[in-house]
Amino acid sequence: MEPTPPGVERNAAPIVHGGEIAALEAVLSRGQWGHGPATDRFEAGIAELLGVPDAVAVNSGTSALHLALRSVGIGPGDDVVVPSLTFAASVQAIAFGGARPRFAEIDPETLAVTPDTVMEAITPDTKAVMPVLYGGRAVDLSPIRAALAKRGIQVVEDAAHAFGSRAPGGWMVGADPDTVTCFSFDPIKNLTTGQGGAIVPRSRAEADNLRSLRLFGIVQSRDTRAGLTTYEVQGAGMRFDMSQLNAAIGLVQLEHFTGVATMRQHLWRTYQAELSGLDGVHLVDVDVANTVPFNCVVRLDRGRDEVFHRLRTENIGVAVHYPPNHTQPGFAAWHRDLPVTERVAAQILGLPFHPAMTYDSVRFVVTALARAVKETA
Ligand SMILES: Cc1ncc(COP(=O)(O)O)c(C=O)c1O
């Protein structure tokens, strides 16, 4: 029997470039492990890569969303439009802050909201829209930006999947001056710090507020505080800062980001070529020319659950991103009928997708998928 090619048993996995260990040792030996100079350097590094003036690092993508919503004034009594087909974190960031998620439909081809599905979901209480950049693909809300602005509705983007992607013919995700963008740097994302996230603010004042919100509401930086007998708490704040241990990993990952981005695009295109012509299997399009793909998802015409179990039995790391949120018991208060989301959610299957995979890994997965689809028919 042929040996199994690398990486097929994992749906997603981080890549270690090598320098991370030395970078961690350097932080460990300096004895100051919390937020510090490495965090500041990491913030500067991501801002430079995105071509934006500033970025605020936090301890997770979920914290980034939570703080971004709070900083734009979202709270109890407000509705926030969000797709149901996203990770629970997007919805929790809204609900945990006391606002109401208002679930929106998606385009079955991209699994993301569209200007039409956003407008359909808006209520008189809607104060924000949270598009989710599914698979890394940018969401273009420009046709409705004026309509949203007229109603005072802000855009806080969940770009957890989309670090390094670009809007077609336009700016990097994060560089739209009218949007607050939130990234996740968890272990399987395009860029990782081990665990972490970042917010791209729209102004200096927004950045200052986010920095205060992420660290106890204290005005003075940690370094300044060390030389003072007091400090000033200016308002609410939590412990959501990014440690230097995480930032040190992120700085090394950042040095290798361009290579990883190319690798992810190449891997996605390899899947695209191998999947073409496979009956009953439709690749969810990520607009790979502009996107650093986070995953590779197909929709199956029939038998998704059986195909999933067959492939898992063969130790192939398929996964479902995501079970919809509007049918979760914890979100029952905000349920509404979303027939497209329900249909699509029963069809999607995420294939193993991470930089350790090779051409042979993709061929192996696609051959197994074709067999499972055929046997399920
Ligand atoms: C779409 C989406 N939003 C938000 C998050 C939350 O990010 P984190 O795990 O860094 O809190 C994730 C990742 O898990 C995600 O996939």
Side-chain angles (χ1 to χ4, degrees):
M1 215 168 105
E2 293 282 306
T4 306
V8 299
E9 70 290 350
R10 305 280 301 271
N11 185 259
I15 180 170
V16 179
H17 300 288
E20 290 88 346
I21 301 190
L24 281 168
E25 273 172 3
V27 173
L28 289 170
S29 63
R30 278 199 297 271
Q32 209 278 69
W33 298 354
H35 179 115
T39 318
D40 300 339
R41 283 203 305 279
F42 178 68
E43 287 185 337
I46 50 177
E48 189 187 336
L49 191 137
L50 299 175
V52 296
D54 201 359
V56 178
V58 290
N59 61 354
S60 74
T62 312
S63 305
L65 292 167
H66 185 69
L67 291 192
L69 287 170
R70 189 174 176 114
S71 82
V72 304
I74 305 304
D78 299 333
D79 284 348
V80 179
V81 173
V82 64
S84 170
L85 199 86
T86 179
F87 186 46
S90 325
V91 183
Q92 293 291 20
I94 298 166
F96 206 65
R100 290 183 297 254
R102 170 77 174 162
F103 293 118
E105 280 286 26
I106 46 165
D107 177 348
E109 300 302 318
T110 63
L111 309 186
V113 295
T114 67
D116 286 346
T117 67
V118 167
M119 290 312 286
E120 183 281 328
I122 280 171
T123 67
D125 292 326
T126 300
K127 295 288 172 353
V129 174
M130 184 189 286
V132 175
L133 279 57
Y134 191 99
R137 182 181 183 139
V139 172
D140 179 14
L141 293 184
S142 56
I144 57 167
R145 286 315 280 250
L148 296 178
K150 209 167 126 207
R151 291 171 166 85
I153 297 173
Q154 318 239 23
V155 180
V156 174
E157 199 170 56
D158 179 345
H161 296 180
F163 189 80
S165 296
R166 189 175 276 287
W171 38 59
M172 297 284 289
V173 168
D176 173 351
D178 297 323
T179 300
V180 183
T181 300
C182 300
F183 294 109
S184 161
F185 302 132
D186 85 12
I188 61 166
K189 294 301 193 292
N190 292 352
L191 178 76
T192 184
T193 55
Q195 184 172 296
I199 307 151
V200 182
R202 293 168 299 184
S203 65
R204 179 71 196 270
E206 198 161 70
D208 289 347
N209 187 36
L210 286 163
R211 290 199 162 92
S212 165
L213 283 171
R214 80 171 169 193
L215 203 57
F216 313 117
I218 293 176
V219 179
Q220 290 83 7
S221 74
R222 219 177 251 268
D223 286 349
T224 314
R225 250 158 60 204
L228 301 174
T229 56
T230 188
Y231 53 73
E232 187 189 322
V233 178
Q234 69 172 9
M238 288 299 287
R239 177 67 192 254
F240 286 164
D241 56 327
M242 177 186 279
S243 84
Q244 292 198 79
L245 293 167
N246 294 107
I249 295 173
L251 281 163
V252 175
Q253 293 271 328
L254 205 48
E255 278 172 36
H256 296 270
F257 181 72
T258 313
V260 169
T262 306
M263 222 189 283
R264 284 182 170 273
Q265 286 177 315
H266 179 68
L267 188 60
W268 195 92
R269 286 191 167 109
T270 307
Y271 264 121
Q272 184 181 36
E274 293 298 316
L275 287 164
S276 82
L278 209 63
D279 245 11
V281 178
H282 312 277
L283 182 59
V284 172
D285 186 21
V286 293
D287 178 25
V288 69
N290 290 300
T291 296
V292 179
F294 163 65
N295 57 13
C296 180
V297 175
V298 292
R299 288 196 290 124
L300 303 183
D301 283 345
R302 69 193 78 81
R304 192 278 312 273
D305 287 9
E306 191 177 333
V307 171
F308 172 89
H309 290 300
R310 277 178 189 265
L311 293 173
R312 292 301 305 195
T313 307
E314 292 178 34
N315 202 21
I316 294 177
V318 284
V320 174
H321 299 131
Y322 300 90
N325 286 286
H326 71 288
T327 54
Q328 294 289 354
F331 303 142
W334 306 299
H335 178 274
R336 59 192 297 245
D337 285 340
L338 297 172
V340 176
T341 297
E342 280 169 36
R343 174 167 55 81
V344 165
Q347 297 177 322
I348 52 177
L349 187 71
L351 306 177
F353 190 84
H354 52 91
M357 293 186 67
T358 62
Y359 175 65
D360 285 347
S361 314
V362 173
R363 295 237 355 221
F364 184 89
V365 171
V366 174
T367 305
L369 173 67
R371 194 169 53 235
V373 166
K374 200 162 160 213
E375 286 169 4
T376 302

